[in-house]
């Protein structure tokens, strides 16, 4: 199992979710976050005063999936979230040692997939 963590522009969230849903990926955690990278922030003017915003809003999408779905999920997120500008985000992939579905006690792949997903 793998955990995919994608940091993307907030305005791209709905498009990414729709594209992942078409693939059959509906289980995800979405968190509003702030951060900076190469973009480094931006200058804003408020009531005549200029100030710099160092931390910019992003959305973090977390998906735990079976190994053979990783590349397709990365491709979809990359294609849909890409604007070509600095600040499009990053994708990280982690190994997941185990998972437990609290309701049933199922472990491993059974805990993260429905029967039709596990057959892929």
């Amino acid at each position: 199992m793998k955990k995919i963590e994608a940091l993307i522009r907030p305005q791209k969230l709905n498009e990414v979710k729709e594209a992942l849903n078409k693939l059959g990926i509906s289980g995800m955690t979405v968190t509003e976050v702030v951060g900076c990278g190469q973009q480094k922030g931006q200058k804003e003017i408020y009531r005549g005063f200029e100030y710099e915003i160092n931390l910019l809003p992003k959305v973090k999408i977390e998906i735990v999936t079976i190994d053979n779905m990783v590349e397709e999920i990365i491709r979809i997120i990359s294609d849909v979230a890409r604007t070509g500008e600095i600040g499009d985000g990053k994708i990280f992939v982690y190994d997941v040692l185990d998972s437990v579905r609290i309701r049933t006690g199922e472990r491993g792949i059974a805990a993260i997939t429905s029967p039709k997903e596990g057959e892929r």
Side-chain angles (χ1 to χ4, degrees), residues 71-84:
E71 290 304 318
E72 184 67 10
I73 292 169
I74 290 171
R75 185 192 62 74
I76 286 171
I77 295 171
S78 295
D79 289 350
V80 175
R82 182 178 295 121
T83 67

Side-chain angles (χ1 to χ4, degrees), residues 1 3 13 16 46 56 69 76 82 91-92 97 109:
M1 292 179 295
K3 177 180 179 184
L13 175 61
V16 169
Y46 179 71
L56 298 172
M69 294 295 294
I76 286 171
R82 182 178 295 121
I91 299 173
F92 303 98
L97 301 177
I109 292 173

Side-chain angles (χ1 to χ4, degrees), residues 22-79:
K22 287 179 185 172
L23 182 64
I25 304 296
S26 57
M28 64 183 74
T29 301
V30 177
T31 311
E32 292 180 6
V33 297
V34 293
C36 64
Q38 287 183 346
Q39 202 173 5
K40 304 232 188 324
Q42 59 193 29
K43 292 189 179 176
E44 296 280 333
I45 296 177
Y46 179 71
R47 295 188 176 182
F49 293 97
E50 186 177 283
Y51 63 99
E52 192 168 322
I53 300 173
N54 295 21
L55 299 174
L56 298 172
K58 298 289 180 192
V59 173
K60 179 166 64 171
I61 301 171
E62 297 170 278
I63 301 167
V64 177
T65 188
I66 55 180
D67 290 353
N68 64 352
M69 294 295 294
V70 172
E71 290 304 318
E72 184 67 10
I73 292 169
I74 290 171
R75 185 192 62 74
I76 286 171
I77 295 171
S78 295
D79 289 350

Side-chain angles (χ1 to χ4, degrees), residues 1 99-102 104-113:
M1 292 179 295
S99 63
V100 179
R101 187 184 315 260
I102 294 172
T104 63
E106 293 170 291
R107 296 190 77 129
I109 292 173
I112 64 165
T113 59

